[in-house]
Amino acid sequence: MNSLYGTSKDIGENNIYAIFKLIYKNQPITRKELANTSSYSAATISNHVNHLIEMGFVTESKKGSSTGGRKPVNLEIISEKGYMLTINIEVDQVNIKLFNIKYEIVEEIIIEELYKNDVSRSLIKIFQEIKRILNHNPRFKEKLLGTGISVPGLINKESGKLVFAPNLTWENAPILDEFKAEFPDTPLFLENEAKASAIAEKTFAYPEIENMVFISVNQGIGCGIIFNGKLIRGATGNCGEYGHLKVTENGRRCHCGRQGCWETEASELFIYNKFNQEIREEKKYSQEEIYNLIAENHPLAVEISNLAADGLGKGVANVINSLNPELIVIGGGIIRIKEHISERFKQVVSRQALDLLWNSTEIAFSDLGKESANLGMAWIVREHGIISQLKL
Ligand SMILES: [Zn+2]
């Protein structure tokens, strides 16, 4: 078994954690069924299940059907054993979700507005909402396994800083230090939003796929690469910044300071800027309004969504040619117009990607949608939290 995040090389080899995950996946399940669906011996399963029950992770119930005689004893995960707090910071909103260890959302708050140029003030607002959630039930704080924060920009995994989030206009923000000062007792994890989403897509939507790329198209474009079943992070945690791959000479100026980056040709910001520029009205149309116009077949809006589809195709072809994935999942706000861009963008990909690679690549739009980054962070937190409690 692989550790997707690669946090501890021992995770996958540890039987007790593997058995916990088998129970989670198949619950309710009896000890006998566990033995039948895995390669573990009945004795190993019995030992580890007893330990999981003693630790409070698993409970026994006798609600299963009986074929006469003793009723089978079912095993189930105790959802209140632990909680994962996740914060997905987006350019226009912050989504805070508290999950239990069954990945069920128990609390959720959306902050609709951030202070674009003021990291501290924005964080204070986020902290207030987190405290509000944690105060709803003393158990939440007591059993918090950790806190995962996803951000739409470049991070430094060593310093815990959000180094650069041009669309958010945050630079060198010491996110983890600020969180640590406010919540000193919880383990903290910082990740790029597209990478957190890639983990969620791999874990919850495509567990069988070993080589895939998640492409998050919001105001910018981010990528998360799963290679041989693992998230690739790179030296500083920023592997796969295809959004800043140059796709055109003398193109539009990008926030990163260069010209012609992929995200200037295909992101939501491209659609927003181009539409408002071309319509030549005093009123600024919001992203939402432009998407509605695309749905209503407004000629200019459709023309611009076609350009975005072309731009998206160009970049995806580069991703396919360089990484040869089995699957590309497109997520982010752009999926609102997937029906309008899908065919055209796939045509561009088919023209620009090498046939041999393109023929073996599937393209899908995310079904997890806006949940994905929070879910990915919940996975990271749960993985660390449970492993440390089981003292592996
Ligand atoms: Zn750029």
Side-chain angles (χ1 to χ4, degrees):
M1 203 172 21
N2 274 329
S3 158
L4 172 61
Y5 200 49
T7 46
S8 158
K9 66 182 168 53
D10 298 320
I11 296 170
E13 292 151 24
N14 197 286
N15 294 348
I16 187 165
Y17 187 55
I19 288 169
F20 169 83
K21 289 213 250 194
L22 274 176
I23 298 171
Y24 163 70
K25 209 170 147 195
N26 299 294
Q27 62 187 340
I29 186 168
T30 65
R31 287 173 175 80
K32 198 171 167 205
E33 286 163 349
L34 266 180
N36 292 340
T37 55
S38 70
S39 54
Y40 299 114
S41 69
T44 304
I45 285 176
S46 178
N47 280 341
H48 290 319
V49 165
N50 288 345
H51 188 47
L52 286 168
I53 292 172
E54 276 166 30
M55 298 276 299
F57 281 104
V58 167
T59 184
E60 292 180 309
S61 67
K62 294 186 182 177
K63 287 178 191 157
S65 62
S66 169
T67 49
R70 278 198 315 168
K71 278 193 175 179
V73 177
N74 273 321
L75 302 167
E76 281 179 59
I77 301 294
I78 299 177
S79 44
E80 300 83 19
K81 172 65 181 173
Y83 296 91
M84 300 85 82
L85 180 66
T86 65
I87 298 113
N88 182 35
I89 301 177
E90 295 176 63
V91 172
D92 49 2
Q93 68 175 38
V94 178
N95 201 330
I96 306 173
K97 290 182 201 290
L98 184 75
F99 294 83
N100 65 26
I101 58 166
K102 283 184 181 168
Y103 294 111
E104 293 160 339
I105 296 168
V106 285
E107 294 276 341
E108 179 176 24
I109 287 181
I110 292 173
I111 301 174
E112 294 289 356
E113 223 179 319
L114 273 186
Y115 305 102
K116 277 212 167 184
N117 294 305
D118 195 336
V119 181
S120 299
R121 237 174 117 200
S122 297
L123 287 177
I124 288 169
K125 194 166 176 180
I126 293 170
F127 295 155
Q128 280 170 349
E129 297 301 334
I130 290 175
K131 283 175 187 163
R132 191 134 58 116
I133 282 183
L134 293 178
N135 286 337
H136 280 174
N137 189 328
R139 208 170 46 218
F140 295 160
K141 239 186 269 179
E142 234 170 75
K143 306 215 176 239
L144 195 64
L145 295 175
T147 299
I149 308 135
S150 48
V151 290
L154 302 180
I155 60 163
N156 184 322
K157 63 177 182 176
E158 298 301 333
S159 66
K161 279 185 182 171
L162 168 57
V163 178
F164 186 51
N167 296 312
L168 194 62
T169 62
W170 288 11
E171 217 169 304
N172 282 319
I175 302 268
L176 282 196
D177 282 347
E178 300 262 3
F179 265 83
K180 201 168 276 173
E182 201 68 28
F183 306 101
D185 301 323
T186 172
L188 295 164
F189 304 90
L190 179 68
E191 193 54 88
N192 167 272
E193 163 271 326
K195 288 173 182 58
S197 296
I199 286 177
E201 295 287 346
K202 157 72 179 154
T203 309
F204 300 100
Y206 301 100
E208 309 304 328
I209 302 279
E210 292 287 293
N211 296 292
M212 61 182 276
V213 182
F214 177 80
I215 301 176
S216 169
V217 186
N218 292 302
Q219 291 209 10
I221 295 182
C223 296
I225 302 165
I226 305 286
F227 190 67
N228 288 341
K230 286 192 163 76
L231 178 76
I232 304 298
R233 306 186 79 234
T236 57
N238 296 296
C239 179
E241 276 299 322
Y242 282 93
H244 299 284
L245 193 79
K246 195 168 182 141
V247 291
T248 178
E249 275 305 319
N250 306 317
R252 290 171 195 83
R253 174 76 53 194
C254 180
H255 282 305
C256 75
R258 282 168 284 268
Q259 270 177 294
C261 292
W262 183 24
E263 69 175 42
T264 65
E265 298 280 313
S267 63
E268 289 193 304
L269 198 58
F270 162 77
I271 295 172
Y272 174 85
N273 284 339
K274 184 87 177 159
F275 183 84
N276 280 306
Q277 195 184 328
E278 305 260 317
I279 192 118
R280 294 169 189 275
E281 287 181 19
E282 257 184 51
K283 162 191 164 69
K284 283 262 184 209
Y285 286 78
S286 70
Q287 200 81 48
E288 180 79 16
E289 286 171 324
I290 301 169
Y291 281 161
N292 289 337
L293 290 175
I294 293 170
E296 292 161 13
N297 284 319
H298 180 285
L300 178 63
V302 169
E303 192 188 315
I304 287 163
S305 80
N306 285 342
L307 291 176
D310 294 346
L312 194 60
K314 241 189 256 183
V316 168
N318 282 328
V319 173
I320 290 174
N321 286 349
S322 56
L323 296 172
N324 189 199
E326 295 158 69
L327 170 72
I328 289 197
V329 181
I330 310 281
I334 197 93
I335 62 174
R336 281 276 313 277
I337 52 166
K338 62 183 177 185
E339 285 86 10
H340 301 271
I341 59 170
S342 175
E343 204 175 312
R344 187 169 172 125
F345 119 80
K346 283 179 191 167
Q347 279 168 1
V348 176
V349 181
S350 75
R351 282 201 301 272
Q352 299 204 5
L354 293 169
D355 285 345
L356 180 67
L357 283 69
W358 167 235
N359 291 340
S360 61
T361 313
E362 292 289 326
I363 292 194
F365 287 91
S366 170
D367 287 330
L368 297 176
K370 277 192 159 297
E371 300 288 300
S372 62
N374 290 86
L375 205 45
M377 292 317 297
W379 185 91
I380 292 171
V381 171
R382 193 184 93 158
E383 196 84 344
H384 283 78
I386 293 183
I387 285 160
S388 63
Q389 286 202 16
L390 290 171
K391 303 216 178 7
L392 303 180

CSV table of all heavy atoms in Angstrom, one decimal, residues 197-237:
chain,number,residue,atom,x,y,z
A,197,SER,N,-6.3,19.4,-3.7
A,197,SER,CA,-7.4,18.9,-4.5
A,197,SER,C,-7.0,17.6,-5.3
A,197,SER,O,-7.8,16.7,-5.4
A,197,SER,CB,-7.8,19.9,-5.6
A,197,SER,OG,-8.4,21.0,-4.9
A,198,ALA,N,-5.7,17.6,-5.7
A,198,ALA,CA,-5.2,16.4,-6.4
A,198,ALA,C,-5.3,15.2,-5.5
A,198,ALA,O,-5.7,14.1,-5.9
A,198,ALA,CB,-3.8,16.6,-6.9
A,199,ILE,N,-4.9,15.4,-4.2
A,199,ILE,CA,-5.0,14.3,-3.2
A,199,ILE,C,-6.4,13.8,-3.1
A,199,ILE,O,-6.7,12.6,-3.1
A,199,ILE,CB,-4.4,14.8,-1.9
A,199,ILE,CG1,-2.9,14.9,-2.0
A,199,ILE,CG2,-4.8,13.9,-0.8
A,199,ILE,CD1,-2.2,15.4,-0.7
A,200,ALA,N,-7.3,14.8,-3.0
A,200,ALA,CA,-8.7,14.4,-2.8
A,200,ALA,C,-9.3,13.6,-4.1
A,200,ALA,O,-9.9,12.6,-3.9
A,200,ALA,CB,-9.6,15.6,-2.6
A,201,GLU,N,-8.9,14.1,-5.2
A,201,GLU,CA,-9.4,13.4,-6.5
A,201,GLU,C,-8.9,12.0,-6.5
A,201,GLU,O,-9.6,11.1,-6.8
A,201,GLU,CB,-9.0,14.2,-7.7
A,201,GLU,CG,-9.6,15.6,-7.8
A,201,GLU,CD,-11.1,15.6,-8.2
A,201,GLU,OE1,-11.6,14.5,-8.7
A,201,GLU,OE2,-11.7,16.6,-8.1
A,202,LYS,N,-7.6,11.9,-6.2
A,202,LYS,CA,-6.9,10.6,-6.3
A,202,LYS,C,-7.6,9.6,-5.2
A,202,LYS,O,-7.9,8.5,-5.5
A,202,LYS,CB,-5.4,10.7,-6.0
A,202,LYS,CG,-4.7,9.5,-5.5
A,202,LYS,CD,-4.5,8.4,-6.5
A,202,LYS,CE,-3.8,7.2,-6.0
A,202,LYS,NZ,-4.1,6.0,-6.6
A,203,THR,N,-7.7,10.1,-4.0
A,203,THR,CA,-8.2,9.3,-2.9
A,203,THR,C,-9.7,9.0,-3.0
A,203,THR,O,-10.1,7.8,-2.8
A,203,THR,CB,-8.0,10.0,-1.5
A,203,THR,OG1,-6.7,10.5,-1.5
A,203,THR,CG2,-8.3,9.1,-0.4
A,204,PHE,N,-10.5,10.0,-3.3
A,204,PHE,CA,-12.0,9.7,-3.2
A,204,PHE,C,-12.6,9.5,-4.6
A,204,PHE,O,-13.7,8.9,-4.6
A,204,PHE,CB,-12.6,10.9,-2.5
A,204,PHE,CG,-12.1,11.1,-1.1
A,204,PHE,CD1,-11.1,12.1,-0.8
A,204,PHE,CD2,-12.5,10.3,-0.1
A,204,PHE,CE1,-10.6,12.3,0.4
A,204,PHE,CE2,-12.0,10.5,1.2
A,204,PHE,CZ,-11.1,11.5,1.5
A,205,ALA,N,-12.1,10.0,-5.6
A,205,ALA,CA,-12.7,9.8,-6.9
A,205,ALA,C,-12.0,8.8,-7.8
A,205,ALA,O,-12.7,8.0,-8.5
A,205,ALA,CB,-12.8,11.2,-7.7
A,206,TYR,N,-10.7,8.7,-7.8
A,206,TYR,CA,-10.0,7.9,-8.7
A,206,TYR,C,-8.9,7.0,-8.0
A,206,TYR,O,-7.7,7.2,-8.3
A,206,TYR,CB,-9.4,8.7,-9.8
A,206,TYR,CG,-10.3,9.5,-10.6
A,206,TYR,CD1,-10.5,10.9,-10.4
A,206,TYR,CD2,-11.1,8.9,-11.6
A,206,TYR,CE1,-11.5,11.6,-11.1
A,206,TYR,CE2,-12.0,9.7,-12.4
A,206,TYR,CZ,-12.2,11.0,-12.1
A,206,TYR,OH,-13.1,11.7,-12.8
A,207,PRO,N,-9.3,6.2,-7.0
A,207,PRO,CA,-8.3,5.5,-6.3
A,207,PRO,C,-7.5,4.5,-7.1
A,207,PRO,O,-6.3,4.2,-6.7
A,207,PRO,CB,-9.1,4.7,-5.2
A,207,PRO,CG,-10.5,4.7,-5.7
A,207,PRO,CD,-10.7,5.9,-6.6
A,208,GLU,N,-8.0,4.1,-8.3
A,208,GLU,CA,-7.2,3.1,-9.1
A,208,GLU,C,-6.2,3.8,-10.0
A,208,GLU,O,-5.3,3.1,-10.5
A,208,GLU,CB,-8.2,2.3,-10.0
A,208,GLU,CG,-9.4,1.7,-9.2
A,208,GLU,CD,-8.9,0.8,-8.1
A,208,GLU,OE1,-7.9,0.2,-8.2
A,208,GLU,OE2,-9.7,0.7,-7.1
A,209,ILE,N,-6.3,5.1,-10.2
A,209,ILE,CA,-5.4,5.8,-11.1
A,209,ILE,C,-4.1,6.1,-10.4
A,209,ILE,O,-4.1,6.7,-9.4
A,209,ILE,CB,-6.1,7.1,-11.7
A,209,ILE,CG1,-7.4,6.7,-12.3
A,209,ILE,CG2,-5.1,7.8,-12.6
A,209,ILE,CD1,-7.3,6.2,-13.7
A,210,GLU,N,-3.0,5.8,-11.1
A,210,GLU,CA,-1.7,6.0,-10.5
A,210,GLU,C,-1.0,7.3,-11.0
A,210,GLU,O,-0.1,7.9,-10.4
A,210,GLU,CB,-0.7,4.8,-10.8
A,210,GLU,CG,-1.2,3.5,-10.1
A,210,GLU,CD,-0.8,3.5,-8.6
A,210,GLU,OE1,0.3,3.6,-8.3
A,210,GLU,OE2,-1.8,3.6,-7.8
A,211,ASN,N,-1.3,7.7,-12.2
A,211,ASN,CA,-0.7,8.9,-12.8
A,211,ASN,C,-1.7,9.8,-13.3
A,211,ASN,O,-2.4,9.6,-14.3
A,211,ASN,CB,0.2,8.4,-14.0
A,211,ASN,CG,1.3,7.5,-13.6
A,211,ASN,OD1,2.2,8.0,-12.9
A,211,ASN,ND2,1.3,6.3,-13.9
A,212,MET,N,-1.9,10.9,-12.6
A,212,MET,CA,-3.0,11.8,-13.0
A,212,MET,C,-2.5,13.3,-12.6
A,212,MET,O,-1.6,13.5,-11.8
A,212,MET,CB,-4.3,11.5,-12.3
A,212,MET,CG,-4.2,11.5,-10.8
A,212,MET,SD,-5.8,11.1,-10.0
A,212,MET,CE,-6.7,12.6,-10.1
A,213,VAL,N,-3.2,14.2,-13.3
A,213,VAL,CA,-2.9,15.6,-13.0
A,213,VAL,C,-4.2,16.3,-12.8
A,213,VAL,O,-5.2,16.2,-13.5
A,213,VAL,CB,-2.2,16.3,-14.2
A,213,VAL,CG1,-1.9,17.8,-13.9
A,213,VAL,CG2,-0.9,15.6,-14.6
A,214,PHE,N,-4.3,17.0,-11.6
A,214,PHE,CA,-5.5,17.9,-11.4
A,214,PHE,C,-5.1,19.3,-11.8
A,214,PHE,O,-4.1,19.8,-11.4
A,214,PHE,CB,-5.8,17.8,-9.9
A,214,PHE,CG,-7.0,18.7,-9.5
A,214,PHE,CD1,-8.3,18.3,-9.8
A,214,PHE,CD2,-6.8,20.0,-9.0
A,214,PHE,CE1,-9.3,19.1,-9.5
A,214,PHE,CE2,-7.8,20.8,-8.7
A,214,PHE,CZ,-9.1,20.4,-8.9
A,215,ILE,N,-6.0,19.9,-12.6
A,215,ILE,CA,-5.7,21.2,-13.0
A,215,ILE,C,-6.8,22.1,-12.5
A,215,ILE,O,-8.0,21.9,-12.8
A,215,ILE,CB,-5.6,21.3,-14.6
A,215,ILE,CG1,-4.5,20.4,-15.0
A,215,ILE,CG2,-5.4,22.8,-15.0
A,215,ILE,CD1,-4.4,20.3,-16.5
A,216,SER,N,-6.5,23.0,-11.6
A,216,SER,CA,-7.4,23.9,-11.0
A,216,SER,C,-7.5,25.2,-11.7
A,216,SER,O,-6.5,26.0,-11.8
A,216,SER,CB,-7.0,24.1,-9.5
A,216,SER,OG,-7.7,25.1,-8.9
A,217,VAL,N,-8.6,25.5,-12.3
A,217,VAL,CA,-8.7,26.8,-13.1
A,217,VAL,C,-9.7,27.7,-12.4
A,217,VAL,O,-10.9,27.6,-12.4
A,217,VAL,CB,-9.2,26.5,-14.6
A,217,VAL,CG1,-9.2,27.8,-15.4
A,217,VAL,CG2,-8.4,25.4,-15.2
A,218,ASN,N,-9.1,28.6,-11.7
A,218,ASN,CA,-9.8,29.7,-11.0
A,218,ASN,C,-9.3,31.0,-11.6
A,218,ASN,O,-9.2,31.1,-12.7
A,218,ASN,CB,-9.6,29.6,-9.5
A,218,ASN,CG,-10.3,28.3,-8.9
A,218,ASN,OD1,-11.5,28.1,-9.1
A,218,ASN,ND2,-9.5,27.5,-8.3
A,219,GLN,N,-9.0,32.0,-10.7
A,219,GLN,CA,-8.5,33.2,-11.2
A,219,GLN,C,-7.1,33.0,-11.8
A,219,GLN,O,-6.6,33.7,-12.7
A,219,GLN,CB,-8.5,34.3,-10.1
A,219,GLN,CG,-9.9,34.7,-9.8
A,219,GLN,CD,-10.0,36.1,-9.3
A,219,GLN,OE1,-9.0,36.9,-9.3
A,219,GLN,NE2,-11.1,36.5,-8.7
A,220,GLY,N,-6.4,32.0,-11.2
A,220,GLY,CA,-5.1,31.5,-11.8
A,220,GLY,C,-5.3,30.1,-12.2
A,220,GLY,O,-6.4,29.5,-12.2
A,221,ILE,N,-4.2,29.4,-12.6
A,221,ILE,CA,-4.2,28.0,-12.9
A,221,ILE,C,-3.2,27.3,-12.0
A,221,ILE,O,-2.0,27.7,-12.1
A,221,ILE,CB,-4.0,27.7,-14.4
A,221,ILE,CG1,-5.1,28.3,-15.3
A,221,ILE,CG2,-3.8,26.2,-14.7
A,221,ILE,CD1,-4.9,28.1,-16.7
A,222,GLY,N,-3.6,26.3,-11.3
A,222,GLY,CA,-2.7,25.5,-10.5
A,222,GLY,C,-2.8,24.1,-10.9
A,222,GLY,O,-3.8,23.6,-11.4
A,223,CYS,N,-1.7,23.3,-10.6
A,223,CYS,CA,-1.7,21.9,-10.9
A,223,CYS,C,-1.3,21.1,-9.7
A,223,CYS,O,-0.4,21.5,-9.0
A,223,CYS,CB,-0.8,21.6,-12.1
A,223,CYS,SG,-1.3,22.4,-13.6
A,224,GLY,N,-1.8,19.9,-9.6
A,224,GLY,CA,-1.3,18.9,-8.6
A,224,GLY,C,-1.0,17.6,-9.4
A,224,GLY,O,-1.9,17.1,-10.1
A,225,ILE,N,0.2,17.1,-9.2
A,225,ILE,CA,0.6,15.9,-10.0
A,225,ILE,C,0.7,14.7,-9.2
A,225,ILE,O,1.4,14.7,-8.1
A,225,ILE,CB,1.9,16.2,-10.7
A,225,ILE,CG1,1.9,17.5,-11.6
A,225,ILE,CG2,2.4,15.0,-11.5
A,225,ILE,CD1,3.2,18.0,-12.0
A,226,ILE,N,0.0,13.7,-9.5
A,226,ILE,CA,0.1,12.4,-8.8
A,226,ILE,C,0.9,11.5,-9.8
A,226,ILE,O,0.4,11.2,-10.9
A,226,ILE,CB,-1.3,11.7,-8.5
A,226,ILE,CG1,-2.2,12.7,-7.8
A,226,ILE,CG2,-1.1,10.4,-7.8
A,226,ILE,CD1,-1.9,12.9,-6.3
A,227,PHE,N,2.0,11.0,-9.3
A,227,PHE,CA,2.9,10.2,-10.2
A,227,PHE,C,3.2,8.9,-9.5
A,227,PHE,O,3.6,8.9,-8.3
A,227,PHE,CB,4.1,11.0,-10.5
A,227,PHE,CG,5.0,10.4,-11.5
A,227,PHE,CD1,4.6,10.3,-12.9
A,227,PHE,CD2,6.3,10.0,-11.2
A,227,PHE,CE1,5.4,9.8,-13.8
A,227,PHE,CE2,7.1,9.4,-12.2
A,227,PHE,CZ,6.6,9.3,-13.5
A,228,ASN,N,3.0,7.8,-10.1
A,228,ASN,CA,3.1,6.5,-9.4
A,228,ASN,C,2.4,6.4,-8.1
A,228,ASN,O,2.9,5.9,-7.1
A,228,ASN,CB,4.6,6.1,-9.2
A,228,ASN,CG,5.3,5.8,-10.5
A,228,ASN,OD1,4.6,5.5,-11.5
A,228,ASN,ND2,6.6,5.9,-10.6
A,229,GLY,N,1.2,7.0,-8.1
A,229,GLY,CA,0.4,7.0,-6.9
A,229,GLY,C,0.7,8.0,-5.8
A,229,GLY,O,0.1,8.0,-4.7
A,230,LYS,N,1.7,8.8,-6.0
A,230,LYS,CA,2.1,9.8,-5.0
A,230,LYS,C,2.0,11.2,-5.5
A,230,LYS,O,2.3,11.5,-6.7
A,230,LYS,CB,3.6,9.5,-4.6
A,230,LYS,CG,3.8,8.3,-3.7
A,230,LYS,CD,5.2,8.3,-3.1
A,230,LYS,CE,5.3,7.4,-2.0
A,230,LYS,NZ,5.4,6.0,-2.3
A,231,LEU,N,1.7,12.1,-4.6
A,231,LEU,CA,1.8,13.5,-4.9
A,231,LEU,C,3.2,14.0,-5.1
A,231,LEU,O,4.1,13.7,-4.2
A,231,LEU,CB,1.1,14.3,-3.8
A,231,LEU,CG,1.2,15.9,-4.0
A,231,LEU,CD1,0.1,16.3,-5.1
A,231,LEU,CD2,0.9,16.6,-2.8
A,232,ILE,N,3.5,14.6,-6.2
A,232,ILE,CA,4.9,15.1,-6.4
A,232,ILE,C,4.9,16.6,-5.9
A,232,ILE,O,4.1,17.4,-6.3
A,232,ILE,CB,5.2,15.1,-7.9
A,232,ILE,CG1,5.1,13.7,-8.5
A,232,ILE,CG2,6.6,15.6,-8.1
A,232,ILE,CD1,5.9,12.7,-7.9
A,233,ARG,N,5.8,16.9,-5.0
A,233,ARG,CA,5.8,18.2,-4.4
A,233,ARG,C,7.0,19.1,-4.8
A,233,ARG,O,6.9,20.3,-4.8
A,233,ARG,CB,5.8,18.1,-2.9
A,233,ARG,CG,4.6,17.2,-2.4
A,233,ARG,CD,4.5,17.2,-0.9
A,233,ARG,NE,3.8,18.4,-0.5
A,233,ARG,CZ,4.3,19.1,0.5
A,233,ARG,NH1,5.4,18.8,1.1
A,233,ARG,NH2,3.6,20.2,0.9
A,234,GLY,N,8.1,18.5,-5.2
A,234,GLY,CA,9.3,19.3,-5.6
A,234,GLY,C,10.1,19.8,-4.5
A,234,GLY,O,9.7,19.6,-3.3
A,235,ALA,N,11.2,20.5,-4.7
A,235,ALA,CA,12.1,20.9,-3.7
A,235,ALA,C,11.5,21.8,-2.6
A,235,ALA,O,11.7,21.6,-1.4
A,235,ALA,CB,13.3,21.5,-4.3
A,236,THR,N,10.6,22.7,-3.1
A,236,THR,CA,10.0,23.6,-2.1
A,236,THR,C,8.5,23.4,-2.0
A,236,THR,O,7.9,24.2,-1.3
A,236,THR,CB,10.3,25.1,-2.6
A,236,THR,OG1,9.7,25.3,-3.9
A,236,THR,CG2,11.7,25.4,-2.6
A,237,GLY,N,8.0,22.4,-2.6
A,237,GLY,CA,6.6,22.1,-2.5
A,237,GLY,C,5.7,22.8,-3.6
A,237,GLY,O,4.5,22.9,-3.5
